Amino acid sequence: MKTFVAILFLSLLPACGVKSINKVGYGKILDNAVSENCFETKFSELQKETNYQLSVVVEKAAGKITFYDLTIDGTKTDETPEVFTPKSFKLSKTFMASVIKECSA
């Protein structure tokens, strides 16, 4: 019964004018702190590679980045959520791999 109610609710949301938003955030606690300069370089490269608006919030310890929260905003694109969600996830994973590989101390 709960499943039926949930499916019914989700199917009625679009009829009520509810629209999904193409904006997601990916946070990562880094196992090994990374160089701030390298991180900023990788973030700048990422911004140049995509049409999405990107922002990042970082936490630092001893001058190195230990955590970041990357926000990917695709609201100004015409992409459907079915396209945006996997594409943004892949973008975040590529960024994370690049930071870990190239910026670890």
Side-chain angles (χ1 to χ4, degrees), residues 29-83:
I29 297 172
L30 298 166
D31 294 332
N32 298 310
V34 298
S35 158
E36 184 176 1
N37 289 336
C38 182
F39 183 92
E40 289 174 0
T41 300
K42 292 294 160 197
F43 182 69
S44 293
E45 290 171 2
L46 182 67
Q47 286 179 308
K48 292 175 186 171
E49 292 175 9
T50 184
N51 292 329
Y52 299 139
Q53 292 181 323
L54 306 175
S55 61
V56 69
V57 175
V58 299
E59 290 181 12
K60 300 180 215 174
K64 295 196 176 220
I65 294 175
T66 58
F67 169 84
Y68 70 87
D69 185 6
L70 173 67
T71 301
I72 303 173
D73 184 345
T75 56
K76 295 188 178 176
T77 68
D78 292 334
E79 293 177 354
T80 65
E82 291 79 16
V83 172

Side-chain angles (χ1 to χ4, degrees), residues 1-34:
M1 182 64 173
K2 289 180 184 178
T3 304
F4 174 73
V5 172
I7 292 171
L8 180 63
F9 178 73
L10 292 174
S11 65
L12 292 176
L13 284 177
C16 297
V18 175
K19 182 181 169 193
S20 65
I21 299 173
N22 287 352
K23 189 173 187 178
V24 293
Y26 298 99
K28 173 69 176 156
I29 297 172
L30 298 166
D31 294 332
N32 298 310
V34 298

